[in-house]
Every structure is written in C-alpha cells, then in structure tokens.
C-alpha cells in the first residue's frame, strides 16, 4: 500500500479501497458528535486549488531546512536513547509516516544504517493496532520500537499511546515504550522532539497527496475482521497530483548541509519532561468559549489545518505574533468562509474550534 518505496516504509494496514466509506464533512460531524466513532467513516479527500498548491510549494521551500534540522535533532535523540542495532521506527499513520521516512533517510545518511520502518494505526478511544505491533515483534523479536508522529496538539494521541502501551505490556512478554518522537511538540507531551515551538510542518498542509496517497486510518467492524490490521484506502485516482516523494526528497536534500545546526539545536533540547502544558491552555480556551467537549478544540498549526480540511469549523483563533507563518490557514479559512479571530493569549500559533451540532 502507498506510493512510497517499500524501502522507505511498510504500511501495516488493510486496503479497504473497495469500500465506500466517505461522507461529506457536515454529515460526518453530525455522526461524530452523536456518538459514532470517527474511525468508522472517512472524510472526502480535499482537492487543493492551484492557489493552495502554489502556497504549499512556497511553504515547503521556506521551511525545508528547518524541517531537516528538526529531523536530525529527533533522529540523534532516538539513537542516543535506543541505539541502532535493534531499532524499529514505527510511525503513527498517517501524519507520522513522512516524518518516519525522513528519520530513516537521515539515519542512513548519517550512520549508513538502514533501519526497519513501519506505519501503523492508532485511533483515539480505540487504541493502537495490536495486530500490527505483534507483526513487528514477529519479524523483529528484539525490536526497540520507537513511535513517531508529526506533531502534538493537546496530547490526545500521546495519551492514547501511553494507555495502549500499558495494555499491550500487561498482556505480552515483549514490551513497548510509550516515549513518542515528534518534530514539533508545542503541547509538551512528547519526550523526543525537534522543537517545542508551534510551527508549520508542510506535510500538514495536505491529506493523502503528501502521505503516500493513503487515507486516514479507520476501524469499522461491520466490514472488517477484528483480527486484521486497521484499514485505510489507497487513492489510485490521485497519482497524478501526488507530491509525497517530492516532499521527502526535497527535505532529504538538506540533510548534509544542516549537520552543524543539528548539533547546536541538540544542545537546546535538554528538557525532556512531559508536562501536558498545552492541554492546560486548551482547557482555558474551552472555558472561555463555552465549548462542552474538549475534543472540539484543536490547537496548533497541524491540528488547525486538519480542522479546516476535514471537519466543520466554527472559527479559527490566530495568535497575531505568528500571522506571517499562517498563510495556508488564512487561505483555507477564506475558501470555506470560516471566521478568523485574533487571540493572543495562547502558546500556540493558532487553534481550530469545531462547530457543535
């Protein structure tokens, strides 16, 4: 599955391309807020406008070097913690997948070591795909599994990962570490990070066309076996507009020239304490805007982008200090007629608020 090379990543996902599970955002939002789990259906893939793709390319050029530095910083921390001999990179699909590939590529460049890399599903409220984890241990009995994601918001997936690892470890002799590695950790809920600043990771701008043409993962037991991998679709029809490998190659081209920057940034990443700082800030926003369900508050650039791409936003909060870095947020909000409100009292660059149905 996926448009990446199998040398870059192996997707441990069941291809559910024969199923029609997509619903429009309004219908999905109604179902989600009525109690249907979000993983039982898929959003319709957003097809970006020419203006938006032009902005994506500009953003990639602008941030490629910064992303390359963050990848190097994360990769070096992983090596220091786990070594290379039994390391197995395990990306949380789908946002983690391109980041895991970049880390794998960096390790190959820096240490001439090709480490295994898998992409598996984790779902809020449903946990990690244990079938996939057992598969990894069957292939690599001594695996030092390192989970990788793109960024943190308020820490929902980080919390889910902790619970999932505790559950798995209680049932099996082989053990998982819930230590999460991300490029950007504005929520302060990952111990391994490239930066704790909230900045745009360009792969957040798009959906499947920058993630190997793979959909968001899903689990619907009406159509799937509980002993199978979690599911995802491969979008063959989007192959003509796929930029997944272009994105990876573009950032990889910066690795050799950022070696000194990586060393300098590593010296600043000495605090690995997980404080859940971001969740506290989100609770303040929740109270101030009288939002009943904290899951309807999506902080950070990555999560706000997701809200605009596949949810029904109520409004977008913008920290005016970061306005020059949020062009794609402003463009998406304009295309969808979503109001923007300045809100300086937050540690994030922006925050998406989902409309209550």
């Amino acid at each position: 599955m996926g448009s990446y090379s199998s040398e870059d990543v192996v997707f441990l996902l069941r291809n559910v391309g024969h199923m029609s599970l997509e619903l429009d955002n309004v219908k999905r939002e109604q179902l989600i807020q009525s109690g249907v789990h979000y993983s039982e259906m898929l959003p319709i893939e957003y097809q970006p406008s020419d203006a938006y793709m032009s902005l994506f390319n500009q953003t990639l050029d602008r941030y490629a070097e910064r992303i390359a530095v963050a990848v190097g910083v994360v990769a070096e921390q992983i090596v220091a913690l786990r070594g290379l001999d039994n390391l197995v990179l395990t990306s949380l699909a789908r946002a983690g997948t391109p980041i895991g590939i970049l880390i794998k590529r960096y390790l190959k460049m820096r240490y001439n070591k090709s480490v295994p890399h898998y992409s598996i599903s984790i779902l809020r409220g449903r946990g990690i795909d244990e079938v996939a984890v057992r598969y990894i241990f069957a292939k690599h009995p001594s695996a030092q599994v390192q989970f990788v994601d793109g960024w943190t918001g308020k820490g929902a997936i980080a919390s889910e990962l902790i619970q999932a690892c505790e559950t798995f470890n209680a049932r099996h002799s082989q053990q998982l570490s819930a230590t999460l590695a991300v490029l950007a950790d504005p929520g302060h809920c990952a111990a391994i990070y490239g930066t704790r600043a909230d900045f745009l990771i360009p792969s957040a701008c798009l959906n499947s066309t920058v993630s190997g043409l793979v959909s968001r993962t899903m689990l619907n037991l009406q159509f799937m076996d509980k002993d199978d991998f979690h599911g995802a679709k491969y979008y063959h029809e989007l192959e003509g507009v796929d930029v997944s490998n272009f994105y990876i190659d573009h950032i990889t081209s910066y690795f050799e020239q950022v070696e000194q920057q990586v060393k300098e940034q590593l010296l600043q990443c000495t605090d690995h304490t997980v404080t859940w700082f971001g969740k506290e800030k989100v609770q303040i926003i929740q109270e101030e805007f009288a939002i009943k369900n904290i899951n309807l508050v999506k902080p950070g650039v990555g999560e706000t982008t997701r809200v605009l791409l596949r949810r029904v936003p109520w409004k977008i909060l913008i920290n005016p200090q970061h306005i020059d870095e949020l062009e794609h947020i402003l463009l998406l909000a304009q295309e969808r007629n979503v109001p923007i409100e300045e809100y300086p009292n937050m540690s994030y660059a922006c925050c998406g608020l989902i409309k209550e149905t």
Side-chain angles (χ1 to χ4, degrees):
M1 179 182 285
S3 62
Y4 297 118
S5 164
S6 59
E7 294 180 2
D8 279 329
V9 62
V10 174
F11 285 96
L12 299 184
L13 298 168
R14 176 186 173 187
N15 191 343
V16 294
H18 60 289
M19 301 177 190
S20 181
L21 298 166
E22 287 87 355
L23 296 172
D24 67 63
N25 288 348
V26 173
K27 181 62 176 176
R28 283 182 68 249
E29 198 64 57
Q30 291 172 343
L31 290 171
I32 290 170
Q33 293 191 38
S34 70
V36 177
H37 197 271
Y38 72 91
S39 70
E40 295 184 14
M41 51 203 159
L42 290 172
I44 297 171
E45 280 289 303
Y46 166 69
Q47 289 304 294
S49 64
D50 290 342
Y52 189 76
M53 280 308 299
S54 176
L55 186 56
F56 167 80
N57 287 309
Q58 293 171 29
T59 302
L60 178 57
D61 286 339
R62 179 178 177 182
Y63 286 103
E65 183 173 318
R66 188 175 181 182
I67 296 292
V69 172
V71 169
V73 170
V74 170
E76 296 292 356
Q77 290 176 73
I78 291 172
V79 171
L81 180 66
R82 308 208 182 280
L84 285 167
D85 290 343
N86 295 310
L87 176 63
V88 177
L89 295 172
T90 304
S91 297
L92 302 179
R94 70 183 163 183
T97 308
I99 310 308
I101 293 174
L102 288 168
I103 293 170
K104 176 182 171 73
R105 293 257 192 116
Y106 177 90
L107 293 174
K108 178 64 175 176
M109 181 278 297
R110 179 80 167 80
Y111 295 98
N112 195 30
K113 177 78 171 180
S114 182
V115 301
H117 175 217
Y118 298 94
S119 183
I120 73 174
S121 169
I122 186 170
L123 299 166
R124 179 170 50 79
R126 298 255 173 117
I128 204 162
D129 186 347
E130 284 202 10
V131 177
V133 173
R134 293 199 300 271
Y135 178 94
I136 291 171
F137 277 126
K139 289 284 187 178
H140 313 276
S142 301
Q144 289 284 317
V145 173
Q146 176 59 62
F147 291 108
V148 175
D149 207 352
W151 57 85
T152 64
K154 58 181 176 289
I157 290 299
S159 296
E160 194 71 45
L161 181 63
I162 291 170
Q163 287 185 302
C165 288
E166 289 175 351
T167 301
F168 183 90
N169 292 344
R171 296 173 180 168
H172 301 87
S173 57
Q174 290 160 315
Q175 300 288 284
L176 294 171
S177 168
T179 301
L180 182 62
V182 298
L183 289 196
D185 180 35
H188 292 233
C189 38
I192 299 176
Y193 56 88
T195 177
R196 279 183 161 158
D198 185 17
F199 82 104
L200 174 63
I201 297 168
S203 54
C205 289
L206 300 172
N207 282 329
S208 67
T209 52
V210 76
S211 302
L213 296 183
V214 174
S215 74
R216 202 215 62 221
T217 61
M218 52 87 61
L219 180 63
N220 190 324
L221 295 180
Q222 293 183 61
F223 309 101
M224 302 168 64
D225 190 295
K226 65 181 179 63
D227 295 321
D228 203 349
F229 296 138
H230 290 186
K233 281 194 173 186
Y234 175 68
Y235 292 108
H236 292 275
E237 65 273 20
L238 299 179
E239 288 174 351
V241 291
D242 183 25
V243 295
S244 303
N245 289 292
F246 166 74
Y247 176 78
I248 296 294
D249 291 340
H250 191 71
I251 294 173
T252 300
S253 69
Y254 283 84
F255 283 164
E256 291 188 358
Q257 70 190 56
V258 299
E259 184 176 353
Q260 186 57 38
Q261 293 181 63
V262 170
K263 291 178 180 178
E264 293 170 359
Q265 186 65 29
L266 272 170
L267 296 175
Q268 300 177 36
C269 292
T270 56
D271 183 5
H272 302 287
T273 309
V274 173
T275 64
W276 309 99
F277 171 78
K279 188 172 183 178
E280 296 174 12
K281 299 301 179 183
V282 168
Q283 288 170 338
I284 293 172
I285 294 172
Q286 180 189 6
E287 292 172 8
E288 187 168 335
F289 287 88
I291 297 171
K292 296 176 184 177
N293 187 342
I294 197 170
N295 290 325
L296 301 182
V297 182
K298 303 291 187 180
V301 181
E303 293 304 298
T304 303
T305 305
R306 283 178 166 183
V307 167
L308 286 162
L309 290 176
R310 64 191 198 210
R311 299 296 292 268
V312 180
W314 170 38
K315 65 174 66 177
I316 303 299
L317 307 181
I318 296 287
N319 189 331
Q321 296 179 8
H322 298 272
I323 191 71
D324 293 338
E325 303 172 15
L326 299 174
E327 295 98 329
H328 80 291
I329 295 288
L330 299 176
L331 180 57
L332 282 174
Q334 181 182 23
E335 289 179 350
R336 286 157 172 71
N337 296 313
V338 179
I340 296 287
E341 181 175 326
E342 287 196 357
Y343 186 84
N345 186 30
M346 62 178 170
S347 55
Y348 297 95
C350 56
C351 182
L353 305 182
I354 296 172
K355 186 175 182 179
E356 294 187 76
T357 58

